[in-house]
């Protein structure tokens, strides 16, 4: 699974979780909405029925007042309508009601008017009365009983009942009684309303507050219910519409952060309304509590479900993150691994040439591992990661691919700049050496390919990596320069590769592969102990081609086995020739590739060659590469033993350049170890590293002595090199200091029977 699909999976889970959560929340909202509706319905029904009761009470009061007036009116009908009779009737009815004034207006506009305090005034003109009173009096003259709108007298709100007084069938006057609105206040003041949690007001259809409850929600003195904007505009509109149509209406308003339910119920008198407010929260009805509890429970359950989902999601998310870490990160340093690096750099390399790819390696890392311990080595790797991370810029990447191999993708394309940056990193890393052991200097080497240098080829990460490894290889064997750029001359080697592959078979047939010999000097005697056979390709036309240019290709395409066998045959033939000449044959070494070594009939072929040329096996040393030791050691040892039975000596070549360990070397039944040139190069390159390097070498030499394995040091180029390896107790030296590889003729002349 690649990171993209992993991320897609996380995204999918996130979307599902979000959808499920949204679904649950929506369900919760719907449930809450329904619960709220049910609650509201329950509450409003409750309010409705209570308000209805008060309405009935008010109407009952008014009916009683009318009845009193009607009785008095019929009494007046049959009396002579004298003042005394009127006063008597008034006093009688006053005992049973709250009339403040009473009066009679004959249809002629003047008549008696009586006040409660028995001040009897006669001949009061109707015009002297309030407009509201006049209005109902005139209605009564027309035979219609009524209640006036509310008016104010000396700061007291009043209204007036008026009933017609008949003489025969004709209304002849109007009997009126004025009442203070206080009469209603008593009814509205009842504390039992809405179980003590509600307030009643009487309002006009224009919203004017006519009678206000004493204990009320809104403490300010308001003229109308719309004052101060406690109602939302849309609620006000709703109320106004309902009242214009004389209908009931439910609404709500907010006062000091609390929302109150409101019910408006018409009384059917003068457009008056009961305005019923309730502090809904306080209503302790079973329904309300049930509803509230249900809502709380629903919310709690929803919350728990969300918590569980969030937890589960967290687990999956973490799991996927861990998976990504395992697949894409190097567990030791936390840097990206190669898979992730390729994933990151592919789009860059495929879309632009403005990049440079570098590979960074530590010299002799395996010895740091073995001698200083893997903990120190691990710490060093982590430190390198830190240095790289600190030197990387936006859009640049780095990774640790394996062991001590780091790759970097930089955005610089100028050599100087790249070199400057890499050298800075190398310097910073080298400083760490002092922390491990004061005297040890970490050395790095680096291969670089610049995108613009390879712009004429198809952009491909694999190609870029091949180039950079190639440059790294060159850097490894150079040591003079720690940073190598893949350039056109290296590029030429690819052209060469084509040539090599297309000409190799013909070349072998034409005997273009020549055996050169390089002596291994016995450090004890200073004489030639043996010689290594090194192949040279000398085409009929053109320059000599060196093994470094074709052996790697042959190793890849399998031709190496043919060449190696050919070389073994050359070695046998040469020894035979020396024997036949009567000279003392010089023992020869010959390089064996892994391919040949593992061929099924390898041993038989080798045996066949010894027999064909009649040479003793102990004159021939087979140099195998330490890379072979990466495989199954038992299997390798078995093969080694069989070769040794034939008499061959076995040498481990290039020891120290690869990844085999001291342990592996010790467990192999070899006769000789050849120290890679790198050992000496390190010694001559950096003084500071000198002591440490000496320690490493002497430890190895010490071990080989115990194991009775002879040692050959490659790359002896100077007198100092020789002095040093002698001091260390090495057995043989091989290198340009003694002789370059030379043709057989030259070798025979110089070294045979000297
Ligand atoms: P090698 O077996 O480690 O051979 C030693 C290489 O070091 C030779 O390079 C030799 O010329 C070079 N050398 C010797 N002394 C010095 C020195 O003092 N300084 C420096 N700088 N170099 C020195 P050459 O001949 O180019 O061979 C390179 C490699 O190619 C060999 O490394 C070996 O691995 C491979 N090779 C050569 N001939 C054969 C062969 O016939 N079969 C196989 N399979 N590999 C071969
Ligand atoms: Mg060799
Ligand atoms: Mg070698």
């Amino acid at each position: 699974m690649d990171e993209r699909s992993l991320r897609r999976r996380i995204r999918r889970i996130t979307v599902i979780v979000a959808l499920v959560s949204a679904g649950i929340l929506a369900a919760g909202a719907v449930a809450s909405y329904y619960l709220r509706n049910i609650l509201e319905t329950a509450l409003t029904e409750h309010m409705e029925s209570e308000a209805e009761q008060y309405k009935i009470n008010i109407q009952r009061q008014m009916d009683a007042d009318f009845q009193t007036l009607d009785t008095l009116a019929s009494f007046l009908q049959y009396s002579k309508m004298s003042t005394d009779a009127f006063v008597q009737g008034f006093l009688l009815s006053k005992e049973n009601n709250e009339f403040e004034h009473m009066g009679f207006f004959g249809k002629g506009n003047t008549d008696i008017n009586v006040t409660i305090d028995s001040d009897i005034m006669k001949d009061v003109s109707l015009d002297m009365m309030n407009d509201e009173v006049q209005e109902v009096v005139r209605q009564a003259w027309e035979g219609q009983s009524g209640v006036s709108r509310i008016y104010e007298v000396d700061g007291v709100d009043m209204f007036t009942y008026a009933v017609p007084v008949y003489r025969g069938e004709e209304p002849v006057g109007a009997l009126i009684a004025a009442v203070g609105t206080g009469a209603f206040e008593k009814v509205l003041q009842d504390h039992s309303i809405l179980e003590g949690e509600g307030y009643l007001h009487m309002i006009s259809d224009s919203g004017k507050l006519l009678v206000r409850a004493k204990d009320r929600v809104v403490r300010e003195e308001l003229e109308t219910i719309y004052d101060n904007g406690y109602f939302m505009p849309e609620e006000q509109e709703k109320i106004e519409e309902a009242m214009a149509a004389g209908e009931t209406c439910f609404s709500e308003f907010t006062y000091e952060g609390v929302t109150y339910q409101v019910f408006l119920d018409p009384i059917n008198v003068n457009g008056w309304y009961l305005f019923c407010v309730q502090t809904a929260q306080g209503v302790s009805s079973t329904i309300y509590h049930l509803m509230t509890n249900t809502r709380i429970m629903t919310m709690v359950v929803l919350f728990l479900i969300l918590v569980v989902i969030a937890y589960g999601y967290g687990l999956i998310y973490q799991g996927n993150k861990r998976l990504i870490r395992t697949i894409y990160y190097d567990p030791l340093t936390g840097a990206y691994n190669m898979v992730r690096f390729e994933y990151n750099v592919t789009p860059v390399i495929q879309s632009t040439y403005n990049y440079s790819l570098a590979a960074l390696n530590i010299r002799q890392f395996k010895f740091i591992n073995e001698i200083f311990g893997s903990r120190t080595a691990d710490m060093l790797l982590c430190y390198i990661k830190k240095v790289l991370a600190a030197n990387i810029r936006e859009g640049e990447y780095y990774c640790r691919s394996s062991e001590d191999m780091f790759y970097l993708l930089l955005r610089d394309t100028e050599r100087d700049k790249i070199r400057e940056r890499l050298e800075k990193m190398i310097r910073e890393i080298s400083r760490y050496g002092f922390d491990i052991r004061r005297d040890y200097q970490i050395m790095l080497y680096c291969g670089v390919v610049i995108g613009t240098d390879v712009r004429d080829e198809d952009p491909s990460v694999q190609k870029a990596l091949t180039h950079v490894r190639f440059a790294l290889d060159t850097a490894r064997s150079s040591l003079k320069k720690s940073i190598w750029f893949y350039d056109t001359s290296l590029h030429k080697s690819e052209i060469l590769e084509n040539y090599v592959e297309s000409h190799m078979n013909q070349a072998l047939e034409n005997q273009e592969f020549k055996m050169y010999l390089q002596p291994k000097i016995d450090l004890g005697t200073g004489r030639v102990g043996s010689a290594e056979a090194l192949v040279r390709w000398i085409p009929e036309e053109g320059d000599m081609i060196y093994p470094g240019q074709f052996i790697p290709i042959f190793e890849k395409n399998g031709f190496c086995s043919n060449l190696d066998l050919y070389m073994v045959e050359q070695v046998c033939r040469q020894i035979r020739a020396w024997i036949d000449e009567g000279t003392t044959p010089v023992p020869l070494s010959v390089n064996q590739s892994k391919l040949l070594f593992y061929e099924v009939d390898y041993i038989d072929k080798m045996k066949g060659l010894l027999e064909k040329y009649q040479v003793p096996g102990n004159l021939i040393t087979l140099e195998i590469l330490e890379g072979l030791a990466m495989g199954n050691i038992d299997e390798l040892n078995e093969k080694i033993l069989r070769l040794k039975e034939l008499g061959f000596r076995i040498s481990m070549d290039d020891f120290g350049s690869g990844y085999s360990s001291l342990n592996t070397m010790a467990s192999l039944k070899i006769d000789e170890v050849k120290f890679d040139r790198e050992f000496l190069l390190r010694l001559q390159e950096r003084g500071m590293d000198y002591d440490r390097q000496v320690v490493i070498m002497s430890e190895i030499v010490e071990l080989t002595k115990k194991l009775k394995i002879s040692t050959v040091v490659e790359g002896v180029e100077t007198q100092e090199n020789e002095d040093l390896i002698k001091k260390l107790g090495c057995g043989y030296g091989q290198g340009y200091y003694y002789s370059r590889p030379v043709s057989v003729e030259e070798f025979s002349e110089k070294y045979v029977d000297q």
Side-chain angles (χ1 to χ4, degrees):
M1 188 184 294
D2 65 9
E3 181 168 9
R4 218 172 293 169
S5 56
L6 258 178
R7 290 211 184 281
R8 223 178 294 134
R9 197 167 94 179
I10 293 184
R11 255 203 306 276
R12 219 175 18 242
I13 294 171
T14 311
V15 170
I16 292 171
V17 167
L19 285 179
V20 170
S21 305
I24 289 177
L25 280 178
V30 170
S32 178
Y33 173 78
Y34 275 109
L35 283 175
R36 194 188 146 89
N37 270 1
I38 293 170
L39 177 67
E40 258 177 28
T41 314
L43 290 174
T44 50
E45 273 172 10
H46 190 64
M47 279 172 87
E48 219 170 352
S49 72
E50 286 235 355
E52 187 61 27
Q53 197 54 50
Y54 282 90
K55 204 165 92 178
I56 290 168
N57 287 351
I58 287 171
Q59 271 165 356
R60 201 175 283 155
Q61 159 112 34
M62 290 173 82
D63 286 350
D65 289 345
F66 269 119
Q67 211 167 6
T68 308
L69 282 180
D70 281 342
T71 313
L72 195 58
S74 44
F75 168 71
L76 286 175
Q77 188 175 354
Y78 299 108
S79 74
K80 280 213 179 114
M81 204 98 54
S82 72
T83 308
D84 292 346
F86 186 79
V87 170
Q88 232 172 349
F90 163 67
L91 291 174
L92 203 72
S93 46
K94 188 196 161 267
E95 279 170 25
N96 299 320
N97 56 54
E98 312 224 1
F99 296 159
E100 305 249 351
H101 306 274
M102 289 188 78
F104 176 79
F105 288 95
K107 226 176 170 178
N109 206 10
T110 56
D111 224 312
I112 26 176
N113 189 11
V114 182
T115 71
I116 191 167
D117 299 321
S118 312
D119 259 354
I120 302 164
M121 289 160 55
K122 285 188 181 179
D123 303 327
V124 178
S125 161
L126 182 60
D127 298 336
M128 290 163 66
M129 306 299 287
N130 292 60
D131 290 350
E132 289 82 358
V133 178
Q134 288 184 36
E135 200 180 313
V136 277
V137 167
R138 287 184 217 289
Q139 276 175 19
W141 285 348
E142 298 305 315
Q144 216 182 338
S145 299
V147 181
S148 77
R149 286 175 288 123
I150 290 178
Y151 54 91
E152 200 188 297
V153 179
D154 299 334
V156 180
D157 284 339
M158 309 279 294
F159 65 91
T160 292
Y161 294 107
V163 296
V165 176
Y166 289 91
R167 183 133 311 148
E169 294 294 308
E170 268 301 303
V172 291
L175 182 60
I176 64 164
V179 188
T181 52
F184 286 143
E185 249 166 53
K186 268 192 200 140
V187 179
L188 300 180
Q189 218 60 53
D190 188 344
H191 272 286
S192 68
I193 181 162
L194 298 170
E195 294 159 18
E197 296 290 347
Y199 303 109
L200 276 176
H201 304 261
M202 201 156 79
I203 60 169
S204 74
D205 51 7
S206 62
K208 187 168 183 259
L209 282 153
L210 302 178
V211 181
R212 306 186 70 195
K214 275 216 176 69
D215 306 316
R216 57 198 182 239
V217 172
V218 179
R219 284 184 299 279
E220 290 101 59
E221 288 295 330
L222 302 178
E223 187 67 19
T224 76
I225 57 169
Y226 308 127
D227 291 356
N228 290 6
Y230 296 130
F231 280 102
M232 303 289 284
E234 59 271 19
E235 288 297 313
Q236 178 172 342
E237 204 174 307
K238 189 173 98 181
I239 294 171
E240 282 170 345
E241 266 174 30
M243 292 209 291
E247 291 167 354
T248 57
C249 172
F250 285 102
S251 180
E252 59 182 36
F253 70 88
T254 306
Y255 179 69
E256 293 184 342
V258 181
T259 301
Y260 298 92
Q261 301 288 314
V262 165
F263 177 57
L264 290 115
D265 199 5
I267 300 173
N268 300 329
V269 177
N270 280 342
W272 292 347
Y273 265 82
L274 268 184
F275 179 79
C276 179
V277 180
Q278 83 156 336
T279 53
Q281 296 82 347
V283 178
S284 59
S285 72
T286 323
I287 299 175
Y288 180 78
H289 277 298
L290 189 69
M291 292 305 155
T292 313
N293 289 344
T294 316
R295 275 176 91 172
I296 292 172
M297 284 296 291
T298 316
M299 290 325 257
V300 169
V301 169
L302 279 180
F303 178 73
L304 287 177
I305 292 175
L306 285 179
V307 167
V308 169
I309 289 179
Y311 181 70
Y313 173 72
L315 285 183
I316 294 173
Y317 185 77
Q318 286 303 330
N320 278 325
K321 255 175 86 170
R322 257 201 303 279
L323 196 60
I324 287 178
R325 279 212 83 75
T326 326
I327 301 175
Y328 298 114
Y329 291 84
D330 164 33
L332 173 67
T333 61
Y336 283 143
N337 62 14
M338 196 62 190
V339 178
R340 177 60 199 242
F341 182 72
E342 282 188 32
Y343 173 84
N344 283 341
V345 305
T346 303
V348 179
I349 291 180
Q350 283 178 349
S351 63
T352 174
Y353 292 115
N354 294 325
Y355 70 88
S356 48
L357 186 66
L360 195 75
N361 216 287
I362 308 173
R363 288 203 190 273
Q364 293 192 318
F365 176 70
K366 139 179 91 58
F367 291 112
I368 295 177
N369 229 327
E370 291 189 336
I371 292 167
F372 302 140
S374 59
R375 235 182 80 80
T376 309
D378 286 353
M379 275 160 57
L380 170 64
L381 293 174
C382 292
Y383 181 74
I384 294 178
K385 182 246 162 183
K386 251 201 215 159
V387 172
L388 299 189
N391 283 282
I392 276 300
R393 297 176 188 157
E394 211 184 311
E396 299 186 334
Y397 304 98
Y398 68 93
C399 79
R400 174 180 170 238
S401 78
S402 63
E403 300 270 332
D404 56 332
M405 181 71 121
F406 289 86
Y407 286 100
L408 295 126
L409 181 109
L410 307 177
R411 295 309 185 114
D412 289 315
T413 49
E414 282 171 39
R415 279 194 183 200
D416 288 347
K417 271 198 185 149
I418 298 167
R419 188 177 287 116
E420 196 182 301
R421 287 187 65 190
L422 290 173
E423 275 172 353
K424 179 173 174 274
M425 293 184 218
I426 290 174
R427 263 198 315 277
E428 280 177 34
I429 294 166
S430 304
R431 251 178 249 143
Y432 188 76
F434 294 106
D435 294 342
I436 306 174
R437 293 282 159 95
R438 249 160 228 269
D439 48 359
Y440 192 83
Q441 169 97 26
I442 306 290
M443 283 173 67
L444 295 119
Y445 58 102
C446 211
V448 186
V449 60
I450 302 176
T452 43
D453 288 351
V454 290
R455 62 181 344 142
D456 52 342
E457 55 183 50
D458 290 341
S460 131
V461 178
Q462 286 320 317
K463 264 202 182 149
L465 285 170
T466 313
H467 294 331
V468 86
R469 283 178 198 134
F470 196 63
L472 185 77
D473 257 9
T474 321
R476 187 182 81 79
S477 48
S478 139
L479 265 216
K480 290 228 162 59
K481 273 198 303 185
S482 51
I483 300 172
W484 271 84
F485 288 88
Y486 175 89
D487 60 17
T488 29
S489 67
L490 293 174
H491 179 63
K492 272 188 199 136
S493 66
E494 280 182 33
I495 299 167
L496 183 77
E497 187 171 329
N498 287 335
Y499 175 87
V500 166
E501 292 221 288
S502 50
H503 289 80
M504 58 190 188
N505 289 303
Q506 194 61 41
L508 191 66
E509 254 175 51
N510 297 350
Q511 303 193 345
E512 290 176 13
F513 294 106
K514 306 281 184 217
M515 180 173 77
Y516 270 49
L517 295 173
Q518 186 180 33
K520 296 180 186 175
I521 306 297
D522 183 335
L523 295 172
T525 62
R527 295 169 67 89
V528 173
S530 62
E532 177 173 6
L534 294 160
V535 68
R536 297 289 179 265
W537 182 352
I538 306 173
E540 276 170 14
E541 287 164 26
D543 296 335
M544 178 191 282
I545 310 174
Y546 286 85
Q549 294 170 301
F550 56 85
I551 293 288
I553 304 169
F554 289 176
E555 277 172 348
K556 257 195 278 169
N557 66 21
F559 189 72
C560 216
S561 317
N562 302 349
L563 177 74
D564 286 351
L565 273 181
Y566 174 82
M567 287 296 284
V568 175
E569 184 155 10
Q570 297 304 305
V571 163
C572 293
R573 176 178 293 164
Q574 189 53 49
I575 292 174
R576 180 78 258 151
W578 281 327
I579 294 173
D580 291 348
E581 281 167 16
T583 53
T584 318
V586 178
L588 295 181
S589 298
V590 60
N591 294 290
Q592 301 290 276
S593 67
K594 188 174 175 179
L595 279 178
L596 173 67
F597 202 81
Y598 281 121
E599 270 186 15
V600 221
D601 53 356
Y602 171 58
I603 308 276
D604 295 337
K605 280 181 178 160
M606 297 299 274
K607 194 176 169 200
L609 284 173
L610 288 184
E611 282 166 1
K612 179 174 173 192
Y613 291 95
Q614 287 297 305
V615 288
N618 59 9
L619 288 180
I620 300 175
T621 301
L622 303 174
E623 291 191 7
I624 58 173
L625 290 166
E626 67 165 7
L628 276 175
M630 298 286 280
N632 184 333
I633 297 280
D634 293 339
E635 202 183 325
L636 179 60
N637 261 334
E638 194 204 302
K639 206 142 228 182
I640 289 175
L641 284 175
R642 287 182 63 197
L643 288 167
K644 284 172 88 162
E645 275 167 23
L646 296 177
F648 290 113
R649 290 180 80 247
I650 309 294
S651 169
M652 183 186 270
D653 201 359
D654 296 349
F655 179 71
S657 64
Y659 293 108
S660 69
S661 67
L662 291 180
N663 282 345
T664 335
M665 183 193 74
S667 58
L668 288 178
K669 311 279 181 220
I670 50 173
D671 305 282
E672 178 186 278
V673 159
K674 290 185 78 178
F675 282 26
D676 194 73
R677 252 174 65 223
E678 199 170 297
F679 282 94
L680 284 181
L681 278 169
R682 273 194 74 115
L683 284 174
Q684 66 200 36
E685 281 297 307
R686 308 266 171 137
M688 270 184 283
D689 192 27
Y690 188 87
D691 290 345
R692 183 58 35 201
Q693 194 62 25
V694 168
V695 172
I696 294 176
M697 284 182 81
S698 60
E699 289 224 12
I700 303 172
V701 173
E702 208 52 42
L703 180 69
T704 54
K705 278 187 179 152
K706 277 188 206 139
L707 298 168
K708 300 207 164 49
I709 295 174
S710 66
T711 45
V712 182
V713 181
E714 296 179 345
V716 181
E717 289 184 346
T718 60
Q719 172 78 53
E720 294 88 72
N721 288 164
E722 187 185 62
D723 292 346
L724 177 73
I725 60 173
K726 268 186 180 168
K727 201 171 90 191
L728 289 172
C730 300
Y732 297 85
Q734 178 183 351
Y736 296 167
Y737 177 61
Y738 309 109
S739 166
R740 289 183 175 264
V742 292
S743 66
V744 174
E745 295 72 35
E746 195 179 332
F747 183 88
S748 302
E749 204 175 294
K750 274 191 182 163
Y751 303 109
V752 178
D753 272 345
Q754 51 193 315

